[in-house]
Amino acid sequence: SPAAKNNQPPEAKGGLPLLGQMLNFARNPYQFAKKLADDHGEFVSFKLMGQRIFLLTGEEASTLFYRGTDEQLDQSAAYKLMTPIFGEGLIFDAPNDKKNQQLKMLMPSLRMDAMRNHSGKIVQEVEDAIADWGDSGEIDLVDFMKRLTINTASHCLLGREFRYELSEEFAEIYHDLEKGVSPLAYHFPNLPIPRFRQRDRARQRLQDLVGKIVKRRESQSEKPTDMFQSLIDMRYEDGTPLDDNEITGMLVGAIFAGHHTSSGTAAWVLLELLKHPGILRNVRGELDELLGSRGEVSFQSMREVPQLENVLKEVLRLHPPLIILMRKVAQSMRFKDYQIEEGDMLWAVPPVTHRMSSLFDNPEVFDPDRFAGENPEDKRLMAYQPFGGGKHKCSGNAFAMFQIKAIFAVLLRRYDFDLVESPQSYVDDYKEMIVQPLSPCRVRYRRRAESSFASEFGKSAPAAAEGCPFHQQTESASLKVVLDSHLCQGHAMCIGEAPEYFSLDEEGQMHLIKTDVIAADRERLEKAVRFCPNQALRLEASTLGGSSKAAASK
Ligand code: HEM
């Protein structure tokens, strides 16, 4: 094309001088991005307030975004507004090396072994949230999920002092911190306006409380099992511990990353189930069969609910709460024939990529079965991206997935639900920075009759996901396990299944102890592959030359 010859990237013209496309963007950021991609394709530039931005959609352009190094693509520019909330020198306000050490320090509390600890607390929070529901009533679903997920986060991450002793004070602090997240803070984070002053006071108050709890915990012989404690015990590579500012900032960072993302997704799961009664029946059937009316919701049991899990994946495809991920270009780079300059911004837009018919069959249709069968549509990692991708993929994804499955394993066995308004009136609110169902979002509940459970409740878990390619291999085919280190964030789900094959070093990096799979271990290794939240593991037939193709990166 003529554009390719002179290396001028495709550009969407129009918009106002100075403001550029600001008005179109502000009206509906998703529709804006979708139209640009529909009109111009996977790679197009436009201007917003004088800034050149590249919109990247589809697999190839997304690969450029997710596979870029921290030196090439700077995350911090996009998250500057969070600095007063997380704190100075924290995460996106730290140099790359320090930022990555800090991000890694969150991992131990989001890994498999920690999840087993969190799971009981999460289930207890769900039970407590509905304890006073009575036989029937009406709720605002978005508000309900926000309250529930801030309680689980404060319980599992901050710990019982904040969840119980300081719960009212924490609610006020959190409210003031949240009010500090405004588009204004992108450009003028320290404007002397009341809401920013309240934000700063709340941040300081939180740090004071954190400091007191650190001191109190020093004298306790039995230490709690929350993220707070894990951060107290953590050290930088040079042996330095975290100070109170850093512990506070990292806890706040984890809570902000996980709160509205989880609450909006959980709300959408119920809305989509109520819009699709046939799918709701299947999910209920699966839960009833696995747990009956009284079976325990545990980390282990929630691994065996493929139908619910596929509903959740499909909700995240059509309603990813983070609709634009941003990086600033720190070193000029190329995409195909095009030059991208230092200072440009790159945007990945998961909801637009998720609706490309070249990547997803009938993309507008809500169809959880697209993730079952022989070619599950979430296996192309640069296409299915609700948790982002590459090195900075969401490290809380196992926490989020378990939490939402646990919420519905409790709710759907206790209550029946109905939409209050017409189904098509429940839509995404794209004006929110973290996209949620539009408020008000009313649903009705009614206690479920005990007699509606099949009599033989609590049967064993359903068979492993059907269509698993390894089940079709002949017994005699020898298999190799392959690890893609770039995708692995060290969640350690695999160690839980097959500890003799995997080890985690002190840096949190996973290693293979051996690669050849013996027949007796196959089932456990298939689980290790299936439960890896980052799809960093594969089983491959070992070929004669023993060559294993480069690990799946696409
Ligand atoms: C990063 C989505 C829940 C912690 C991300 C990113 C996405 C995402 C898209 C990548 C951002 C980027 O590349 O700029 C989600 C969704 C969630 C969820 C859809 C729920 C359904 C959680 C939870 C936690 C969490 C529950 C923690 C408890 C993080 C952290 C990062 C992150 C620490 C930064 C990772 C890094 O940069 O290395 N999340 N998230 N998230 N998320 Fe989540």
Side-chain angles (χ1 to χ4, degrees), residues 80-130:
K80 262 207 176 75
L81 80 165
M82 300 310 286
T83 298
I85 296 173
F86 295 175
E88 307 230 326
L90 264 292
I91 314 186
F92 302 116
D93 190 50
N96 273 333
D97 175 52
K98 195 167 183 192
K99 173 195 74 173
N100 286 329
Q101 288 191 49
Q102 292 175 346
L103 284 168
K104 228 187 244 174
M105 290 184 202
L106 298 174
M107 262 331 283
S109 348
L110 300 171
R111 272 205 307 251
M112 161 125 174
D113 39 353
M115 281 310 303
R116 291 193 191 283
N117 266 318
H118 298 322
S119 60
K121 300 175 188 172
I122 291 174
V123 173
Q124 184 197 334
E125 290 292 350
V126 187
E127 298 280 5
D128 289 351
I130 58 172

Side-chain angles (χ1 to χ4, degrees), residues 141-201:
L141 184 61
V142 172
D143 286 350
F144 172 77
M145 290 300 180
K146 276 188 191 162
R147 227 170 341 174
L148 172 55
T149 51
I150 194 61
N151 286 346
T152 55
S154 85
H155 201 155
C156 300
L157 309 182
L158 290 175
R160 47 179 312 113
E161 297 92 339
F162 277 104
R163 174 67 188 96
Y164 294 114
E165 295 164 37
L166 298 165
S167 76
E168 272 172 38
E169 185 149 13
F170 176 65
E172 275 169 32
I173 288 174
Y174 188 69
H175 174 259
D176 286 352
L177 288 177
E178 274 198 310
K179 285 186 70 178
V181 185
S182 95
L184 200 60
Y186 269 115
H187 299 286
F188 312 105
N190 294 314
L191 218 58
I193 56 173
R195 66 154 65 181
F196 288 175
R197 281 207 212 101
Q198 275 170 312
R199 171 200 67 195
D200 295 343
R201 270 200 299 270

Side-chain angles (χ1 to χ4, degrees), residues 65-66 70 75 78-79 91-92 99-100 102-104 106-107 109-110 118 153 157 227 250-251 253-266 312 316 319-327 348 350 385-401 403-404 434 489:
F65 186 93
Y66 293 121
D70 285 349
Q75 283 178 295
Y79 294 107
I91 314 186
F92 302 116
K99 173 195 74 173
N100 286 329
Q102 292 175 346
L103 284 168
K104 228 187 244 174
L106 298 174
M107 262 331 283
S109 348
L110 300 171
H118 298 322
L157 309 182
M227 182 183 270
M250 287 169 62
L251 287 171
I255 289 184
F256 270 77
H259 182 207
H260 290 206
T261 45
S262 301
S263 64
T265 306
L312 176 48
L316 284 166
H319 312 284
L322 297 184
I323 61 168
I324 299 172
L325 311 180
M326 302 179 197
R327 305 283 189 265
Q385 43 183 269
F387 290 109
K391 184 177 159 70
H392 290 295
K393 183 169 176 172
C394 176
S395 44
N397 67 11
F399 186 100
M401 295 292 280
Q403 155 152 288
I404 297 171
I434 296 180
Q489 289 175 312

Side-chain angles (χ1 to χ4, degrees), residues 319-339:
H319 312 284
L322 297 184
I323 61 168
I324 299 172
L325 311 180
M326 302 179 197
R327 305 283 189 265
K328 189 149 203 160
V329 177
Q331 291 171 2
S332 63
M333 58 200 304
R334 297 183 76 75
F335 178 69
K336 297 186 174 169
D337 284 334
Y338 305 120
Q339 184 71 16

